[in-house]
Amino acid sequence: KLRGCVNIVQCDDFKAIPHDDGIGWDILIKMELLTPLQVKLREDFNEDDVIELGKDICRALVACNEEGITHRDIKPQNIFISADGDYKLGDFGIARIIEKTTMGLSRKGTYEYMAPEVYWGHDYGPSVDLYSLGMVMYRYLNDGRMPFMPQSPAAVHADDREEAFIKRVNGHEMLPPRCGSDELRRIVLK
Protein backbone atom coordinates (compact mmCIF):
# COMPACT_ATOMS: atom_id res chain seq x y z
CA LYS A 1 0.00 0.00 0.00
CA LEU A 2 2.91 2.37 0.64
CA ARG A 3 4.90 1.54 -2.50
CA GLY A 4 5.98 4.65 -4.36
CA CYS A 5 6.24 7.01 -1.38
CA VAL A 6 9.75 8.45 -1.66
CA ASN A 7 10.05 8.71 2.13
CA ILE A 8 9.23 5.08 2.91
CA VAL A 9 11.80 2.30 2.50
CA GLN A 10 10.90 0.25 -0.57
CA CYS A 11 10.77 -3.51 -0.20
CA ASP A 12 11.15 -5.18 -3.59
CA ASP A 13 10.72 -8.78 -2.50
CA PHE A 14 10.96 -11.09 0.49
CA LYS A 15 11.16 -14.77 1.25
CA ALA A 16 10.45 -16.62 4.49
CA ILE A 17 12.38 -19.86 4.88
CA PRO A 18 11.07 -22.11 7.69
CA HIS A 19 13.68 -23.55 10.04
CA ASP A 20 14.24 -27.32 9.76
CA ASP A 21 12.97 -27.84 13.32
CA GLY A 22 9.69 -26.10 12.45
CA ILE A 23 10.31 -23.27 14.93
CA GLY A 24 10.71 -19.85 13.34
CA TRP A 25 11.93 -18.64 9.96
CA ASP A 26 14.80 -16.90 8.28
CA ILE A 27 13.37 -13.88 6.48
CA LEU A 28 15.27 -12.48 3.52
CA ILE A 29 14.31 -8.99 2.35
CA LYS A 30 15.33 -7.40 -0.93
CA MET A 31 15.15 -3.63 -0.48
CA GLU A 32 16.80 -0.46 -1.66
CA LEU A 33 20.32 0.29 -0.44
CA LEU A 34 20.20 2.96 2.26
CA THR A 35 22.39 4.42 5.00
CA PRO A 36 21.17 4.10 8.61
CA LEU A 37 20.48 7.45 10.30
CA GLN A 38 23.02 6.65 13.01
CA VAL A 39 25.83 6.61 10.42
CA LYS A 40 24.81 10.12 9.27
CA LEU A 41 24.82 11.29 12.87
CA ARG A 42 28.52 10.55 13.15
CA GLU A 43 28.98 13.35 10.63
CA ASP A 44 27.92 16.98 11.03
CA PHE A 45 24.16 16.97 11.80
CA ASN A 46 22.77 20.48 12.10
CA GLU A 47 19.42 22.26 12.45
CA ASP A 48 18.75 22.10 8.70
CA ASP A 49 19.27 18.33 8.81
CA VAL A 50 16.79 18.02 11.69
CA ILE A 51 14.25 20.09 9.73
CA GLU A 52 14.69 17.92 6.61
CA LEU A 53 14.41 14.76 8.69
CA GLY A 54 11.18 16.06 10.22
CA LYS A 55 9.66 17.10 6.88
CA ASP A 56 10.56 13.83 5.14
CA ILE A 57 9.29 11.59 7.93
CA CYS A 58 6.09 13.70 8.12
CA ARG A 59 5.59 12.95 4.41
CA ALA A 60 5.97 9.25 5.20
CA LEU A 61 3.45 9.56 8.04
CA VAL A 62 0.96 11.31 5.75
CA ALA A 63 1.20 8.34 3.36
CA CYS A 64 0.72 5.95 6.30
CA ASN A 65 -2.26 7.95 7.56
CA GLU A 66 -3.89 7.85 4.11
CA GLU A 67 -3.77 4.05 4.33
CA GLY A 68 -4.89 3.96 7.97
CA ILE A 69 -1.50 2.70 9.15
CA THR A 70 0.12 3.70 12.44
CA HIS A 71 3.83 2.81 12.53
CA ARG A 72 4.14 2.74 16.36
CA ASP A 73 7.95 2.56 16.43
CA ILE A 74 9.40 5.82 15.13
CA LYS A 75 12.99 5.93 16.34
CA PRO A 76 16.43 6.66 14.84
CA GLN A 77 17.06 2.96 14.14
CA ASN A 78 14.04 2.94 11.80
CA ILE A 79 15.07 6.02 9.81
CA PHE A 80 17.38 5.73 6.81
CA ILE A 81 18.93 8.08 4.24
CA SER A 82 19.04 7.56 0.48
CA ALA A 83 21.99 8.47 -1.73
CA ASP A 84 19.91 11.51 -2.80
CA GLY A 85 19.63 12.68 0.82
CA ASP A 86 15.99 11.70 1.38
CA TYR A 87 15.11 10.49 4.86
CA LYS A 88 13.03 7.30 4.77
CA LEU A 89 10.94 5.46 7.32
CA GLY A 90 11.41 1.72 7.53
CA ASP A 91 10.68 -1.30 9.70
CA PHE A 92 6.93 -1.61 9.74
CA GLY A 93 7.18 -4.75 11.88
CA ILE A 94 4.76 -3.53 14.54
CA ALA A 95 2.64 -1.18 12.44
CA ARG A 96 -1.09 -1.56 12.86
CA ILE A 97 -3.94 -0.71 10.61
CA ILE A 98 -6.13 1.53 12.73
CA GLU A 99 -9.77 0.67 12.44
CA LYS A 100 -12.71 2.65 13.81
CA THR A 101 -11.85 1.49 17.31
CA THR A 102 -8.48 1.41 18.97
CA MET A 103 -9.58 -0.93 21.71
CA GLY A 104 -6.97 -3.54 22.47
CA LEU A 105 -4.00 -1.81 20.88
CA SER A 106 -0.84 -2.95 22.56
CA ARG A 107 2.15 -1.15 24.08
CA LYS A 108 4.58 -2.43 21.47
CA GLY A 109 7.28 0.00 20.47
CA THR A 110 10.41 1.56 21.90
CA TYR A 111 9.71 3.15 25.28
CA GLU A 112 12.30 5.89 24.86
CA TYR A 113 10.30 7.44 21.98
CA MET A 114 6.82 6.14 22.85
CA ALA A 115 3.85 8.47 23.29
CA PRO A 116 2.36 8.42 26.81
CA GLU A 117 -1.05 7.20 25.62
CA VAL A 118 0.58 4.11 24.09
CA TYR A 119 2.55 3.40 27.25
CA TRP A 120 -0.51 3.76 29.49
CA GLY A 121 -2.68 1.64 27.19
CA HIS A 122 -5.13 4.44 26.35
CA ASP A 123 -6.89 4.72 23.00
CA TYR A 124 -4.63 6.25 20.38
CA GLY A 125 -4.30 6.98 16.70
CA PRO A 126 -1.78 8.27 14.18
CA SER A 127 -0.77 11.23 16.38
CA VAL A 128 1.42 8.86 18.43
CA ASP A 129 3.79 8.67 15.45
CA LEU A 130 4.09 12.46 15.37
CA TYR A 131 4.88 12.41 19.09
CA SER A 132 7.65 9.85 18.53
CA LEU A 133 9.05 11.87 15.63
CA GLY A 134 9.09 14.89 17.95
CA MET A 135 11.13 12.87 20.44
CA VAL A 136 13.63 11.93 17.71
CA MET A 137 13.97 15.58 16.65
CA TYR A 138 14.22 16.70 20.30
CA ARG A 139 17.12 14.34 20.86
CA TYR A 140 19.08 15.69 17.90
CA LEU A 141 18.50 19.28 18.98
CA ASN A 142 19.51 18.49 22.55
CA ASP A 143 23.04 17.10 22.24
CA GLY A 144 21.71 13.54 21.95
CA ARG A 145 19.81 13.78 25.25
CA MET A 146 16.12 13.05 25.75
CA PRO A 147 13.86 15.34 27.83
CA PHE A 148 14.58 15.48 31.58
CA MET A 149 18.06 13.97 31.16
CA PRO A 150 21.12 15.67 32.70
CA GLN A 151 22.56 18.21 30.29
CA SER A 152 25.73 17.40 28.38
CA PRO A 153 28.56 16.88 29.35
CA ALA A 154 27.20 15.41 32.61
CA ALA A 155 27.21 11.61 32.77
CA VAL A 156 23.90 9.77 32.37
CA HIS A 157 23.09 6.90 34.72
CA ALA A 158 20.38 4.23 34.55
CA ASP A 159 18.41 6.00 37.29
CA ASP A 160 18.49 9.22 35.23
CA ARG A 161 16.96 7.41 32.24
CA GLU A 162 14.21 5.84 34.31
CA GLU A 163 13.36 9.10 36.10
CA ALA A 164 13.32 11.03 32.80
CA PHE A 165 11.03 8.45 31.20
CA ILE A 166 8.59 8.50 34.14
CA LYS A 167 8.42 12.31 34.05
CA ARG A 168 7.77 12.30 30.31
CA VAL A 169 4.99 9.67 30.29
CA ASN A 170 3.37 11.35 33.30
CA GLY A 171 3.05 14.60 31.34
CA HIS A 172 5.60 16.83 33.08
CA GLU A 173 6.25 19.96 31.06
CA MET A 174 9.39 19.59 28.96
CA LEU A 175 12.01 22.26 28.60
CA PRO A 176 12.81 23.14 24.98
CA PRO A 177 15.81 21.38 23.42
CA ARG A 178 19.10 23.25 23.80
CA CYS A 179 19.72 23.90 20.09
CA GLY A 180 17.68 25.19 17.18
CA SER A 181 15.72 28.32 16.38
CA ASP A 182 12.93 29.33 18.73
CA GLU A 183 10.36 28.39 16.07
CA LEU A 184 11.80 24.90 15.54
CA ARG A 185 12.03 24.31 19.28
CA ARG A 186 8.32 25.27 19.65
CA ILE A 187 7.37 22.92 16.81
CA VAL A 188 9.29 20.03 18.36
CA LEU A 189 7.69 20.61 21.77
CA LYS A 190 4.23 20.69 20.20
Side-chain angles (χ1 to χ4, degrees):
K1 289 182 175 183
L2 299 172
R3 183 172 295 282
C5 177
V6 73
N7 298 114
I8 293 180
V9 174
Q10 299 301 301
C11 175
D12 298 322
D13 197 9
F14 69 93
K15 183 175 185 176
I17 304 168
H19 289 166
D20 292 336
D21 62 6
I23 301 172
W25 305 268
D26 288 324
I27 301 174
L28 307 175
I29 300 172
K30 180 181 174 187
M31 58 181 265
E32 61 186 315
L33 182 61
L34 300 167
T35 302
L37 178 61
Q38 283 118 328
V39 171
K40 168 71 174 167
L41 295 178
R42 292 184 196 131
E43 302 167 9
D44 186 29
F45 198 71
N46 59 40
E47 180 175 346
D48 290 338
D49 293 319
V50 174
I51 291 169
E52 286 306 310
L53 179 147
K55 288 176 12 183
D56 284 356
I57 300 305
C58 279
R59 285 186 196 100
L61 294 177
V62 166
C64 290
N65 193 43
E66 288 172 355
E67 296 297 334
I69 296 170
T70 300
H71 188 280
R72 301 192 309 154
D73 200 20
I74 308 293
K75 61 183 178 182
Q77 295 85 348
N78 291 338
I79 300 173
F80 302 87
I81 307 167
S82 73
D84 296 331
D86 295 316
Y87 293 93
K88 296 182 172 245
L89 180 60
D91 193 353
F92 283 76
I94 63 169
R96 290 276 304 247
I97 294 178
I98 299 295
E99 298 171 358
K100 291 185 182 190
T101 178
T102 55
M103 298 289 286
L105 289 177
S106 71
R107 283 197 244 174
K108 291 181 180 174
T110 303
Y111 286 173
E112 190 172 18
Y113 299 94
M114 184 181 285
E117 56 269 39
V118 176
Y119 178 77
W120 293 114
H122 300 149
D123 289 350
Y124 62 86
S127 64
V128 300
D129 287 341
L130 284 175
Y131 181 95
S132 296
L133 174 58
M135 289 291 91
V136 170
M137 294 172 69
Y138 187 105
R139 181 176 188 168
Y140 296 121
L141 292 170
N142 199 46
D143 299 324
R145 306 281 173 113
M146 297 298 279
F148 308 110
M149 298 291 284
Q151 290 298 322
S152 182
V156 176
H157 305 287
D159 291 347
D160 296 328
R161 291 182 200 284
E162 186 175 336
E163 183 179 328
F165 174 75
I166 295 300
K167 284 181 179 179
R168 188 174 62 75
V169 296
N170 281 314
H172 289 243
E173 187 174 341
M174 290 182 223
L175 294 175
R178 288 181 61 183
C179 303
S181 67
D182 288 342
E183 183 179 12
L184 179 58
R185 291 163 49 167
R186 277 193 303 275
I187 290 168
V188 168
L189 283 177
K190 185 176 183 188

